[in-house]
Amino acid sequence: MLTNHRLLLASRPDGIPGPENFTADAVPARAPDAGEALLETIYLSVDPAMRSWMSSGTAYRKPIPLGDVMHGGGIARVLESRSESHAPGDFVQARLGWQTHPTIAARYLQKLDLSVGTVEDWIGPLGLSAVTAYFGLRDIGHLRSSDRVLVSAAAGGVGQIAVQIARIEGSRVAGIAGGADKCAFVADELHADAAIDYKAEKNLSDAIARACPDGIDLYFDNVGGPTLDAALEHLREDARVVLCGRISQTTAPEPYVLRNESRLTAVHGRMQRFLVFDYHDRYDEARTWLAARLREGKLRQKLHVLEGLMQAPIGLGMLFRGENNGKLVVRLGAS
Ligand code: NAP
C-alpha cells in the first residue's frame, strides 16, 4: 500500500509564507476509479501567486480553503491508470497539489512529449513561467527587434526567459536583479547588454538611465512598486509596459502609489496586465517556439531545485526574500 504524504493549508499567511502555515499528514494513496490515474509526483513548481491563493485569493481564483491540500502544479509519473489515454510510466503535467501520490481524473492530465524536451525541460524552459514570458513579451509587449527592453526580476523563472526571448529577437536588453551574482548571471549567461543590481544602487532611476542610455521601449515588469515607478521615468515614445507580476507589493505593509504614471500619457505609451492562464488554448504555440530555441541551443532555464515535499513551503518564502537562484522547483522523485 502506497502512502500519500500531503501538505495541508493550516493558516493564512501574515507576511511571507512559510512552514508555519502548513500541516503535514500521510494517508493511503487512493486506487484510481474508472477514468482516473494514480500518480507519483516528480516535480512541483513553486510560484509567487501561491501566496495570494493562500490568503485572500485573487480576482481569478478563490482562496484555498483551510485544511485543503495546498494547490500547485507540477510533473508526475503515472503509476496506475484506469484511463485509455494514459499508461503506467507516462509523464504528465497537472495541478497535482502538494502531495506525493495524487489520484486525478485523466482528463486533467497533460501527457508530456519527451521527444520535445526532458522532464526537467518541461518544468523549466517549456514550463508555465517560460510560456508566461513568451505571451507577455509578444502579445502584450508587441516585442520588436528594434526595442530597448528592460526586465525586472531578470534572474528569476519568468525574467530569465524574458531576457533571452528579447535577445533572440534582436532587441537590446537590460535586466534588473538583486545582488552581484544574479547580475553576473544575467549579463554573462543570459547575455543581457546590461544588468542592474537594484540592491546596490542608491538611486534606481539613475542606474536605469546608465543601463538604458536611449530609454526603454518595452518594460517587462515582474515586481511592481518603486521599480516600476523608476522604469516609467525612462519610457520612450510608444512604449509598452507589460505588468506580469508585482511581487514587491504582495507582502508590502502599505500599497505603493506610483508617481510617474503620467509619463505614459507623455509618450503615448500603454501599460497592461495579463494572466498566462488566459492563453491556455495557445500554450502549444509557445512551447513549439520555445522547444525550437531550446534545440538550437539559444534558450536555457536555470532551475533552483529543492529536495523533498517539506521544502515546498520554505521555497515559497524564498521567492519573497529573493533567495531563489532561478526557477524554483521541488523534486520529490527521480525522473
Ligand atoms: P522568480 O522571479 O523566480 O522569483 C521571485 C523574484 O522576485 C525573487 O527571486 C526576487 O529576485 C524578486 N523579488 C522578490 N521580492 C522583491 C522585492 N520586494 N522587490 C524586487 N524584487 C523582488 O518568480 P517567478 O515565478 O519567475 O515570478 C516572477 C513574477 O511573475 C512574479 O511577480 C509572478 O507573480 C509573476 N507571474 C505572473 C504570471 C502571469 O500570468 N501574469 C505568471 C507567472 C508569474 P531578486 O533577487 O532579483 O530581487
Side-chain angles (χ1 to χ4, degrees):
M1 174 76 78
L2 276 173
T3 300
N4 183 19
H5 296 273
R6 315 186 300 176
L7 283 175
L8 315 178
L9 183 63
S11 61
R12 307 216 178 271
D14 178 19
I16 294 178
E20 65 281 6
N21 299 119
F22 298 90
T23 49
D25 78 356
V27 296
R30 185 169 66 75
D33 287 332
E36 291 185 328
L38 169 63
L39 310 172
E40 175 194 8
T41 304
I42 305 298
Y43 282 106
L44 289 172
S45 171
V46 182
D47 306 294
M50 292 170 161
R51 162 68 175 72
S52 311
W53 310 345
M54 290 168 71
S55 53
S56 55
T58 61
Y60 66 93
R61 211 183 153 119
K62 289 192 184 126
I64 301 170
L66 293 177
D68 260 25
V69 174
M70 177 62 188
H71 297 191
I75 288 176
R77 181 189 284 111
V78 176
L79 295 181
E80 201 180 324
S81 173
R82 291 193 58 203
S83 148
E84 290 192 353
S85 51
H86 297 88
D90 284 350
F91 283 93
V92 294
Q93 193 164 257
R95 294 180 179 180
L96 302 170
W98 284 8
Q99 52 189 334
T100 60
H101 292 88
T103 303
I104 296 181
R107 67 179 180 281
Y108 297 129
L109 307 177
Q110 188 206 341
K111 192 169 160 178
L112 301 188
D113 180 352
L114 295 182
S115 70
V116 173
T118 63
V119 169
E120 285 69 27
D121 291 335
W122 275 98
I123 196 82
L126 302 177
L128 259 197
S129 55
V131 170
T132 302
Y134 176 91
F135 287 116
L137 279 175
R138 285 168 172 261
D139 278 57
I140 310 297
H142 302 286
L143 176 67
R144 303 171 193 146
S145 58
S146 56
D147 280 344
R148 296 118 177 122
V149 177
L150 178 68
V151 178
S152 57
V158 176
Q160 54 178 297
I161 299 290
V163 169
Q164 292 174 90
I165 292 176
R167 287 289 290 123
I168 289 167
E169 294 296 1
S171 309
R172 184 192 188 277
V173 188
I176 302 177
D181 289 350
K182 287 189 182 184
C183 283
F185 170 70
V186 169
D188 301 341
E189 297 187 45
L190 303 182
H191 307 296
D193 299 280
I196 301 167
D197 176 2
Y198 74 93
K199 290 186 174 167
E201 295 289 347
K202 279 206 176 70
N203 184 319
L204 184 57
S205 180
D206 289 351
I208 292 173
R210 287 195 302 277
C212 309
D214 298 318
I216 302 165
D217 297 295
L218 196 169
Y219 174 46
F220 191 99
D221 184 32
N222 283 311
V223 306
T227 310
L228 169 59
D229 223 5
L232 288 173
E233 282 186 55
H234 301 278
L235 296 184
R236 292 168 58 90
E237 182 68 18
D238 191 31
R240 288 133 278 143
V241 177
V242 179
L243 299 179
C244 176
R246 50 198 296 276
I247 193 166
S248 75
Q249 296 303 290
T250 315
T251 58
E254 297 289 334
Y256 181 87
V257 179
L258 292 177
R259 291 190 306 256
N260 299 316
E261 217 172 333
S262 61
R263 179 82 189 145
L264 285 166
T265 315
V267 301
H268 308 96
R270 57 193 181 278
M271 180 154 88
Q272 190 182 336
R273 293 194 184 284
F274 78 105
L275 197 55
V276 68
F277 304 127
D278 291 338
Y279 291 86
H280 187 262
D281 293 347
R282 289 175 53 203
Y283 284 0
D284 282 352
E285 167 199 323
R287 288 191 165 121
T288 301
W289 189 92
L290 293 162
R293 303 296 88 74
L294 200 57
R295 266 197 311 279
E296 292 165 1
K298 291 182 177 166
L299 189 76
R300 52 169 303 199
Q301 193 180 53
K302 183 169 163 186
L303 296 178
H304 186 141
V305 184
L306 301 175
E307 301 285 347
L309 181 64
M310 300 308 282
Q311 291 294 309
I314 295 167
L316 185 55
M318 287 169 68
L319 296 174
F320 294 90
R321 290 187 290 268
E323 291 169 355
N324 60 310
N325 275 296
K327 161 79 198 133
L328 195 78
V329 300
V330 178
R331 180 161 45 207
L332 276 67
S335 56

